[in-house]
Amino acid sequence: MFTFDSVRGIIIQLNKNHLKGRDIMINKLLSAMPARLDGMLILSEVNRRYFTGFPSSDGVLLVTRGGSVFLTDSRYIEEALLRFKQAYKDKVYKR
């Protein structure tokens, strides 16, 4: 979990096993991304759900050529851990 101005949340490093086929959409996004960019920050609720399949009213998806990271607040910790349970075993950052 992370703390930012007393807000608790969770950071999950994702890979294609966690995204259940949605990695294809992320790969399309990356292929369309200009070479000068290192990554994209996805803030929109609709776009986050499109790329991760995870419904949340708050959060961030960081997509880079090196991998993707999903961040959300404490309201979604349990649901995120269930949805991305393999990621939890791999790399979930708590604080």
Side-chain angles (χ1 to χ4, degrees):
M1 288 182 275
F2 66 91
T3 303
F4 182 76
D5 292 338
S6 73
V7 176
R8 292 175 34 144
I10 190 165
I11 303 170
I12 302 175
Q13 186 172 355
L14 302 174
N15 67 37
K16 66 179 181 179
N17 297 326
H18 313 132
L19 296 171
K20 299 180 181 177
R22 292 181 187 273
D23 60 307
I24 294 168
M25 293 174 265
I26 289 179
N27 287 338
K28 285 182 181 180
L29 174 69
L30 289 171
S31 67
M33 190 169 66
R36 69 182 187 281
L37 296 181
D38 293 326
M40 293 186 174
L41 194 60
I42 299 173
L43 304 172
S44 159
E45 177 180 347
V46 172
N47 290 335
R48 275 193 322 273
R49 185 173 187 162
Y50 176 79
F51 287 110
T52 66
F54 188 80
S56 65
S57 62
D58 195 17
V60 174
L61 176 63
L62 174 63
V63 178
T64 71
R65 297 182 200 291
S68 300
V69 178
F70 177 69
L71 300 88
T72 192
D73 66 44
S74 62
R75 296 173 293 166
Y76 300 103
I77 289 174
E78 289 182 25
E79 188 177 348
L81 290 176
L82 288 173
R83 176 70 57 97
F84 303 116
K85 58 185 150 191
Q86 184 58 44
Y88 181 64
K89 294 175 187 171
D90 296 342
K91 290 190 178 181
V92 172
Y93 303 93
K94 294 182 183 181
R95 186 171 167 198

